[in-house]
Amino acid sequence: MKTTLQKIAEKNSDWVNVCISFGCNKSTAEDLTQEMYLKLATILQNNQNLNIYYNDTEINHFYIYRVLKSLFIDLCRKEAKITKVNIEYLEKFVEEEEIKEYKDIEGKMKQLDTLVDKLYWYDAKVWRLIAEEKMSIAQLSKESGISYYSLYNTYKNVKSLIKNNIQWD
């Protein structure tokens, strides 16, 4: 003798068509049908007295329909919580942000150059050699004969001045 789920599964294509009538595509309808089987198995296992038959042989189609409809409504609610974004809009947004960030950095670099240009020539030269030319303080001290601590203090003071005058986000 067939179990209740086996009898329901005999009409699998009918259940898929019911889901399609709700507005689902075929793959979603098949997924909902599989979920319906899982839900019915749980219900039948937990509720031994539940009878989903019209009579001894015919299954209550309305009950199956209601289970499928509730699963479909649950799916719609889940999808409603998901914000869908058009990919072209997203790409445009990312490009605009990149341009904005680039312009911000470009503006900050101009401020930095202006500030360094206003410095005393010695301070500006030490800053450019260490920061822009990537020369170490020890190497600059060795090549120029200027005290390491003098160069370090000059570099530190210029760096502090830049931090105080240019607001980096």
Side-chain angles (χ1 to χ4, degrees):
M1 184 168 170
K2 293 181 182 177
T3 65
T4 304
L5 282 178
Q6 287 173 333
K7 289 180 182 177
I8 293 170
E10 287 176 351
K11 297 190 176 223
N12 185 60
S13 61
D14 292 342
W15 309 133
V16 171
N17 288 333
V18 167
C19 293
I20 289 172
S21 74
F22 297 150
C24 299
N25 60 29
K26 187 167 176 65
S27 64
T28 304
E30 290 170 350
D31 289 344
L32 281 177
T33 304
Q34 293 302 315
E35 285 185 45
M36 181 260 312
Y37 291 131
L38 293 172
K39 187 168 188 151
L40 286 177
T42 305
I43 290 170
L44 290 170
Q45 186 178 23
N46 294 337
N47 237 342
Q48 302 297 333
N49 298 331
L50 180 68
N51 188 0
I52 61 169
Y53 290 99
Y54 283 126
N55 52 35
D56 291 339
T57 58
E58 196 173 340
I59 293 174
N60 185 342
H61 294 285
F62 183 71
Y63 184 80
I64 306 294
Y65 172 85
R66 293 303 300 165
V67 171
L68 287 170
K69 186 72 171 182
S70 71
L71 289 170
F72 174 72
I73 291 170
D74 287 344
L75 178 68
C76 290
R77 285 183 186 137
K78 288 176 188 173
E79 286 181 352
K81 291 179 182 177
I82 299 171
T83 304
K84 296 180 181 176
V85 178
N86 187 343
I87 192 74
E88 287 86 23
Y89 171 78
L90 187 60
E91 288 172 348
K92 181 180 174 190
F93 179 76
V94 169
E95 288 173 5
E96 288 174 359
E97 284 298 311
E98 288 173 352
I99 290 170
K100 183 179 174 187
E101 287 177 18
Y102 178 75
K103 286 181 179 177
D104 289 346
I105 291 171
E106 191 176 274
K108 298 292 183 188
M109 293 306 292
K110 285 181 183 176
Q111 285 180 348
L112 176 67
D113 288 340
T114 304
L115 186 62
V116 171
D117 287 342
K118 291 179 183 176
L119 292 174
Y120 182 67
W121 71 269
Y122 175 78
D123 296 341
K125 186 71 172 174
V126 169
W127 170 259
R128 286 196 174 104
L129 286 172
I130 295 171
E132 294 174 5
E133 301 293 326
K134 305 292 185 205
M135 185 179 276
S136 72
I137 296 173
Q139 183 183 4
L140 182 59
S141 173
K142 188 176 183 181
E143 288 181 13
S144 67
I146 301 171
S147 162
Y148 175 89
Y149 294 107
S150 174
L151 292 171
Y152 174 78
N153 285 329
T154 302
Y155 179 73
K156 184 179 82 170
N157 292 337
V158 172
K159 190 174 169 182
S160 176
L161 181 74
I162 290 170
K163 282 183 180 180
N164 292 335
N165 288 303
I166 299 177
Q167 297 300 320
W168 298 92
D169 296 328

